[in-house]
């Protein structure tokens, strides 16, 4: 999170590899391959304990990039475990605004940041800032030990786990990206002042993946948050990049990308090892969050949500005048006070999921009941209603390892098409790193599926394949299915399935659009397909693959569409507006789903500023006030039974709401 020196101690080859985020030299151990075959059992049991585990690079990444999502789950009583891969020691200077620069002390600065985290989470639990935590050394296996800090209050619990890998070494300015790419590198952990860990043990590439896999196995989370393993291509001059702490050519810090790659490699290994041992697939959902991407786009947090998010950084930043009891310092002083809101980089002012979209894709079965498709344990699953609002156990459809969001389309005969982004390879150490769009086609309405099929990517090259956005699709009245993804150039690419099932080639939609992910697609009354995407200065619009004339207003993030009409929130605004800028009556924050009802009206589902799910239908606004919170964005279905909203709870189970 801190500005690096202008010097770089990495060799040219290493710098080139860092630009790709996770590309590297030759592997020495096989990495679990993609496992698309269906039919694996999932872990069951009653009751299932919900737990959120976050894996980040630095102290404060969780506060800057994963809130308000994490804070809302914690407030709902979901235990939180946050794993910090690096010690966050940076240059060792704890900067105080308006004061002379202090002497570098890496051990003290790391300790002060740790104290700031304890202050922030103590306040989040409703306790005084300086409440003592239980701190201990926790064995990770392989001769490695981490610091663990634990605090519980009022039925809520937070654990902070510090692996203490160094951010820098004498030979490598950015050590964590080098560890991802280098099959021979070994890093000695950095010891924070006052830590209970005396012998942390060294880490090589395999050791870090094994340590993270062990933590996943120990805690068995039901929700996992990571940083972005595949950040945007970001053209820009080298001086600007260095000033903003970004790796060459990409809109994020190199440590964020490497920590995310290690996290997803550990998730893949955890699932593979459980299945190989004859155990069921672990039940969890995983979400990645954008990092320095936030700086480059219109901001998406409305004032009330921004204030609550920024408030978590104030106790983290602390103040040198506080008597917190930690001799090394009482927070990361460069972050405290109003600085999160005045920082020109504006990281705190947005929260973006790497793959936006609803947590579930809904389809109506031939008997009128709903089926919900989603990603669980990195694999596609189907759940069916056994009665209205009651859902079956997950049925494994395979396809893994998949990114967390599925696109879908329903053919005229009722068969379902599912689209995902697969981690085709995530090896590190010189192994391949590729993503691909994959398709699962239903054999008969409500029935089984054909084998998974690869649809490739709109961009050539493994590295560019990693910039894929979340797929969205629609079945048009002419029998065609139109599939859309955001591509590496940050434009929109289309692939069309003809009525006979044949797929055409990928093609980029025309125009010079540079857009965010979170595409919206719908069909109007005339049968035309509309695609909307939030651009840098305005929403971009295509009709039947051609760019539509006329200027549209800007949007802070994702947009929604129903019946060919557009719904958006202006940057930093809570107000949702509909066609011609009219008030849609669904103020709040986050993604919105839209559909046309039987009477031709529009049904909208989103969340208010407090994170509660809301729906507007028939001119009335209703708010869901009971049941588990939503993890990700709920899905919307309008059918013969009316409006049904289906979301995922933090325990991995779906819930239904009939507003």
């Amino acid at each position: 999170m801190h500005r690096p020196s202008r010097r770089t101690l990495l060799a040219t080859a290493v710098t080139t590899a860092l630009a790709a985020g996770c590309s590297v030299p030759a592997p020495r151990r096989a990495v679990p391959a993609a496992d698309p075959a269906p039919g694996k059992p999932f872990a069951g049991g009653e009751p299932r304990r919900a737990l959120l585990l976050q894996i980040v690079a630095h102290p404060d990444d969780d506060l800057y990039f994963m809130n308000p999502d994490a804070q809302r789950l914690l407030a709902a009583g979901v235990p939180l475990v946050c794993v910090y891969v690096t010690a966050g020691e940076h240059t060792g200077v704890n900067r105080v605004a308006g004061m002379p620069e202090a002497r570098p002390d890496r051990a003290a600065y790391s300790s002060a940041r740790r104290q700031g985290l304890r202050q922030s989470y103590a306040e989040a639990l409703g306790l005084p800032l300086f409440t003592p935590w239980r701190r201990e050394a926790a064995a990770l296996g392989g001769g490695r030990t981490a610091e663990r800090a634990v605090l519980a209050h009022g039925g809520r619990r937070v654990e902070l786990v510090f692996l203490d890998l160094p951010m820098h070494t004498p030979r490598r300015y950015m050590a964590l990206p080098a560890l991802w790419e280098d099959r021979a590198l070994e890093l000695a952990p950095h010891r924070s002042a006052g830590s209970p860990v005396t012998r942390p043990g060294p880490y090589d590439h395999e050791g870090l993946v094994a340590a993270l896999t062990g933590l996943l196995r120990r805690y068995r989370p039901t929700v996992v948050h990571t940083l972005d393993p595949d950040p945007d291509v970001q053209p820009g001059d080298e001086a600007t990049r260095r000033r903003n702490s970004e790796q060459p050519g990409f809109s994020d810090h190199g440590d964020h990308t490497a920590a995310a790659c290690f996290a997803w490699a550990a998730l893949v290994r955890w699932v593979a090892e459980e299945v190989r041992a004859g155990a069921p697939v672990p039940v969890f959902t995983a979400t990645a969050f954008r990092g320095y991407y936030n700086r480059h786009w219109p901001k998406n947090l409305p004032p009330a949500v921004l204030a609550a998010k920024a408030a978590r950084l104030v106790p983290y930043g602390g103040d040198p005048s506080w008597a917190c009891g930690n001799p090394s310092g009482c927070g990361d002083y460069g972050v405290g006070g109003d600085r999160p809101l005045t920082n020109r980089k504006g990281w705190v002012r947005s929260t973006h999921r790497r793959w936006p979209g609803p947590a579930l894709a809904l389809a109506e079965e031939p008997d009128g009941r709903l089926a919900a498709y989603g990603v669980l344990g990195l694999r596609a699953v189907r759940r069916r209603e056994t009665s209205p609002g009651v859902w079956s156990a997950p049925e494994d459809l395979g396809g893994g390892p998949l990114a967390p969001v599925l696109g879908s389309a329903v053919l005229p005969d009722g068969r379902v098409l599912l689209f995902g982004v697969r981690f085709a390879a995530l090896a590190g150490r010189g192994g391949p790193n590729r993503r691909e769009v994959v398709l699962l086609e239903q054999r008969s309405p409500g029935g089984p599926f054909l084998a998974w099929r690869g649809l490739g990517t709109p961009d050539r090259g493994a590295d560019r394949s990693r910039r894929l956005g979340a797929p969205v699709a629609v079945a048009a009245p002419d029998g065609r299915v139109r599939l859309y993804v955001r591509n590496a150039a940050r434009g929109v690419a289309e692939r069309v399935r003809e009525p006979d099932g044949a797929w055409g080639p990928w093609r980029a939609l025309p125009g010079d659009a540079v857009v965010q992910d979170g595409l919206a697609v719908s069909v109007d009354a005339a049968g035309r397909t509309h695609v909307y995407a939030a651009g840098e200065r305005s929403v971009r619009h295509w009709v039947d693959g051609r760019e539509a004339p006329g200027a549209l207003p800007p949007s802070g993030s994702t947009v929604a569409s129903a019946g060919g009409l557009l719904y958006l929130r202006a940057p930093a605004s809570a107000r949702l507006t509909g066609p011609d800028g009219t008030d849609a009556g669904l103020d709040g924050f986050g993604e919105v789903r839209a559909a046309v009802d039987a009477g031709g009206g529009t049904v909208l589902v989103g969340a208010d500023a407090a994170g509660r799910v809301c729906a507007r239908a028939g001119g009335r606004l209703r708010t869901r006030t009971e049941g588990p919170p939503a993890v990700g964005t709920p899905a919307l279905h309008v059918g013969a039974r009316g409006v049904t909203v289906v979301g995922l709870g933090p325990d991995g189970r779906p819930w239904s709401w009939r507003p």
Side-chain angles (χ1 to χ4, degrees):
M1 294 297 308
H2 290 271
R3 184 173 68 248
S5 161
R6 289 181 175 271
R7 64 193 176 95
T8 175
L9 301 182
L10 291 176
T12 301
V14 172
T15 302
T16 302
L18 286 183
C22 305
S23 300
V24 277
R28 62 182 180 187
R29 166 181 170 159
V31 174
D35 182 16
K40 305 288 193 300
F42 275 82
E46 296 283 352
R48 183 180 298 147
R49 177 184 62 92
L51 184 139
L52 167 61
L53 187 143
Q54 304 189 132
I55 301 174
V56 300
H58 312 120
D60 77 5
D61 288 343
D62 46 337
L63 305 179
Y64 268 111
F65 306 121
M66 297 172 177
N67 279 334
D69 294 50
Q71 177 58 36
R72 287 172 175 171
L73 289 179
L74 179 61
V78 178
L80 168 65
V81 177
C82 197
V83 180
Y84 303 90
V85 175
T86 77
E89 81 287 358
H90 191 45
T91 62
V93 176
N94 198 352
R95 292 183 174 84
V96 182
M99 299 288 289
E101 188 166 294
R103 181 177 61 85
D105 187 334
R106 288 180 169 83
Y109 182 45
S110 174
S111 175
R113 298 184 76 176
R114 212 160 289 195
Q115 173 65 26
L117 288 171
R118 294 193 294 268
Q119 291 164 179
S120 179
Y121 281 110
E123 185 173 83
L125 291 176
L127 291 168
L129 289 181
F130 309 140
T131 299
W133 292 56
R134 175 165 58 88
R135 299 172 64 194
E136 60 193 16
L140 299 181
R144 287 174 285 272
T145 306
E147 177 181 337
R148 180 170 62 193
V150 182
L151 186 63
H153 175 68
R156 294 181 294 157
R157 178 184 177 91
V158 175
E159 293 189 36
L160 310 179
V161 179
F162 302 95
L163 303 189
D164 280 335
L165 275 76
M167 290 179 66
H168 316 300
T169 72
R171 293 182 57 230
R172 287 176 168 86
Y173 186 73
M174 297 181 70
L176 192 60
L179 189 68
W180 173 261
E181 70 181 19
D182 192 336
R183 59 190 173 91
L185 179 64
E186 185 174 85
L187 296 178
H190 169 91
R191 188 169 181 271
S192 175
S195 172
V197 176
T198 56
R199 295 180 179 273
Y203 285 89
D204 59 6
H205 179 110
E206 166 60 24
L208 181 52
V209 175
L212 293 174
T213 305
L215 289 168
L216 291 166
R217 188 177 295 113
R218 173 185 299 178
Y219 287 105
R220 306 198 74 82
T222 54
V223 183
V224 178
H225 288 173
T226 78
L227 295 166
D228 182 358
D230 300 326
D232 267 13
V233 173
Q234 187 62 49
D237 66 275
E238 183 71 2
T240 299
R241 180 198 66 76
R242 288 176 173 174
R243 186 168 62 251
N244 291 295
S245 312
E246 296 182 359
Q247 59 194 300
F250 294 87
S251 61
D252 213 349
H253 193 293
D255 284 357
H256 296 172
T257 305
C261 287
F262 276 113
W264 281 85
L267 288 168
V268 171
R269 181 177 294 184
W270 179 35
V271 173
E273 289 182 350
E274 295 276 309
V275 171
R276 190 182 300 125
V281 177
V283 172
F284 67 91
T285 59
T287 303
F289 289 85
R290 298 283 196 182
Y292 290 179
Y293 173 101
N294 293 355
R295 182 178 74 86
H296 297 280
W297 294 92
K299 308 307 180 238
N300 71 353
L301 295 185
V305 179
L306 174 59
K309 180 179 178 180
R312 295 273 60 81
L313 282 152
V314 173
Y316 165 74
D319 190 275
S321 67
W322 288 1
C324 65
N326 181 32
S328 295
C330 299
D332 188 351
Y333 299 144
V335 175
D338 65 351
R339 283 179 285 283
L341 295 174
T342 57
N343 188 309
R344 64 178 177 80
K345 298 173 185 176
W347 297 321
V348 74
R349 294 181 176 273
S350 294
T351 299
H352 290 281
R353 298 187 183 106
R354 170 60 178 83
W355 294 282
L360 299 168
L362 303 178
E364 197 167 309
E365 303 262 87
D367 61 5
R369 291 184 292 182
L370 290 180
Y373 300 92
V375 177
L376 199 65
L378 306 184
R379 303 172 68 81
V381 297
R382 171 171 58 183
R383 297 179 178 90
R384 289 180 162 118
E385 281 187 313
T386 56
S387 60
V390 180
W391 294 91
S392 68
E395 172 192 356
D396 178 38
L397 302 178
L402 296 170
V405 172
L406 296 177
S408 68
V410 180
L411 298 175
D413 62 5
R415 291 183 297 132
V416 175
L417 303 181
L418 298 175
F419 304 92
V421 172
R422 176 186 288 155
F423 284 77
L426 180 62
R429 299 178 300 179
N433 290 276
R434 295 191 308 273
R435 316 292 177 256
E436 63 175 335
V437 180
V438 289
L439 163 68
L440 187 62
E441 180 173 340
Q442 200 167 33
R443 190 186 303 270
S444 60
F449 286 81
L450 301 171
W452 284 90
R453 175 183 175 186
L455 293 181
T457 68
D459 297 287
R460 293 185 177 182
D463 183 69
R464 290 181 71 80
S465 77
R466 295 176 48 212
R467 316 305 154 189
L468 276 171
V472 297
V474 67
D478 62 6
R480 291 180 172 88
V481 173
R482 297 180 182 272
L483 169 65
Y484 301 95
V485 296
R486 185 178 188 250
N487 60 21
R490 301 176 296 163
V492 178
E494 175 190 57
R495 195 168 184 189
V496 178
R497 180 187 189 270
E498 297 298 329
D500 63 0
W503 284 91
W506 287 104
R507 76 175 190 104
L509 293 189
D512 59 351
V514 174
V515 302
Q516 296 198 72
D517 205 5
L519 313 178
V521 58
S522 67
V523 178
D524 66 19
R528 299 176 301 176
T529 299
H530 294 254
V531 179
Y532 294 96
E536 293 176 297
R537 289 174 292 277
S538 68
V539 171
R540 307 302 290 262
H541 180 204
W542 294 265
V543 181
D544 284 343
R546 295 182 292 275
E547 191 164 23
L552 292 171
S555 176
S557 56
T558 61
V559 292
S561 180
L565 303 178
L566 170 67
Y567 297 85
L568 63 88
R569 287 196 176 100
S573 174
R575 174 155 294 181
L576 184 73
T577 58
D580 301 321
T582 56
D583 187 351
L586 191 69
D587 290 0
F589 160 69
E591 297 177 41
V592 173
R593 313 311 301 171
V596 177
D597 63 22
T602 301
V603 180
L604 299 167
V605 171
D608 64 14
R612 299 177 302 177
V613 177
C614 301
R616 176 165 285 279
R620 296 183 61 186
L621 179 67
R622 295 169 175 84
T623 302
R624 180 175 174 267
T625 57
E626 297 180 349
V631 173
T633 304
L636 169 64
H637 179 77
V638 178
R641 291 186 299 168
V643 177
T644 304
V645 179
V646 184
L648 270 183
D651 62 355
R653 290 187 172 90
W655 50 256
S656 299
W657 178 48
R658 298 283 307 281

